[in-house]
Amino acid sequence: MKRIFDFIVSSIALIILSPVILITALLIRLKIGSPVVFKQQRPGLNGDPFYVYKFRSMTDERDESGELFPDDVRLTSFGKIIRKLSLDELPQLLNVFKGDMSFVGPRPLLMEYISIYNETQMRRHEVRPGITGWAQVNGRNAITWEKKFEYDVWYVDNQSFLLDMKILIMTVMKVFKSEGISQDGQATMTKFKGNSTSGRS
């Protein structure tokens, strides 16, 4: 039922929101540059890799050694608006349509984190990752990594269609209130560096 819902709703959303998607893409091209879409490999269901799509909100500015500048330097004013309105997530409708993601589930994080999850945290990959999730409506980037993983695993154990509907409604409210977009003192959120005892234990 969940996959059928994701397929039908993402198909309709891609059609209805196509003008918004096209206008956002054009503005990003004019204000930030190309490529318009940011593509990166992330772990999906069972940890299998897939490419997630997002609209760019940062520049590719690098230092003299070729390393990217910190997020707060590369995040543009227009990029902040895109993130505030969650417009950067729109290309993920294609991920949902393809079946790489669901509308609701743990957010797909970096591939490098898999090797430093403990066994409980690794359980977040027992379901498809989502555009939004229980952790996103309970703090998003403003909560600690530990709390975020706790919410993710709770969702895995308690997922239901009604819970998904509740999360989607709460997500809309969070977007309007612009809550939890970034961690205190950060443009987005600090990287996860593992637990006090690294590995899957």
Side-chain angles (χ1 to χ4, degrees):
M1 181 176 180
K2 181 169 183 173
R3 178 60 196 138
I4 294 173
F5 173 85
D6 286 340
F7 179 77
I8 293 174
V9 176
S10 63
S11 301
I12 295 171
L14 282 168
I15 295 171
I16 293 176
L17 295 175
S18 58
V20 177
I21 293 172
L22 290 173
I23 291 172
T24 302
L26 178 61
L27 289 174
I28 291 173
R29 178 65 180 84
L30 293 174
K31 294 180 175 294
I32 301 178
S34 60
V36 169
V37 175
F38 170 77
K39 181 178 78 170
Q40 188 178 56
Q41 198 172 61
R42 301 284 177 92
L45 180 64
N46 300 318
D48 296 333
F50 74 99
Y51 283 99
V52 68
Y53 305 109
K54 296 184 72 172
F55 275 133
R56 279 184 67 188
S57 57
M58 297 185 185
T59 66
D60 286 328
E61 294 177 275
R62 298 174 183 268
D63 59 25
E64 295 178 353
S65 62
E67 294 293 323
L68 287 170
F69 281 122
D71 290 355
D72 59 343
V73 175
R74 297 186 296 118
L75 184 61
T76 66
S77 298
F78 182 64
K80 290 178 181 178
I81 295 174
I82 291 175
R83 291 194 174 200
K84 182 177 181 179
L85 299 175
S86 293
L87 294 175
D88 58 322
E89 311 288 357
L90 287 177
Q92 288 170 48
L93 288 171
L94 182 59
N95 286 122
V96 176
F97 177 80
K98 291 168 57 182
D100 298 326
M101 295 176 63
S102 177
F103 276 106
V104 180
R107 286 292 297 160
L109 302 175
L110 299 177
M111 291 296 297
E112 65 194 67
Y113 293 169
I114 289 183
S115 63
I116 54 177
Y117 288 147
N118 59 37
E119 287 184 2
T120 300
Q121 293 165 349
M122 191 65 184
R123 293 194 59 223
R124 69 194 308 277
H125 297 298
E126 292 178 10
V127 297
R128 283 188 178 88
I131 294 180
T132 186
W134 192 235
Q136 278 59 54
V137 297
N138 283 284
R140 198 173 173 181
N141 289 332
I143 57 177
T144 64
W145 279 111
E146 289 72 18
K147 198 65 179 177
K148 183 176 292 189
F149 293 140
E150 181 182 321
Y151 285 134
D152 287 343
V153 175
W154 183 91
Y155 173 79
V156 171
D157 290 333
N158 295 275
Q159 60 178 315
S160 69
F161 183 74
L162 288 178
L163 177 60
D164 283 0
M165 294 303 101
K166 177 181 178 180
I167 291 172
L168 288 172
I169 293 171
M170 291 176 69
T171 298
V172 173
M173 295 171 63
K174 291 286 184 180
V175 170
F176 278 116
K177 293 179 180 179
S178 301
E179 293 178 348
I181 297 173
S182 62
Q183 195 174 47
D184 287 343
Q186 301 291 327
T188 52
M189 187 169 185
T190 56
K191 276 193 171 186
F192 176 58
K193 297 180 180 178
N195 304 279
S196 54
T197 53
S198 297
R200 298 185 187 175
S201 64

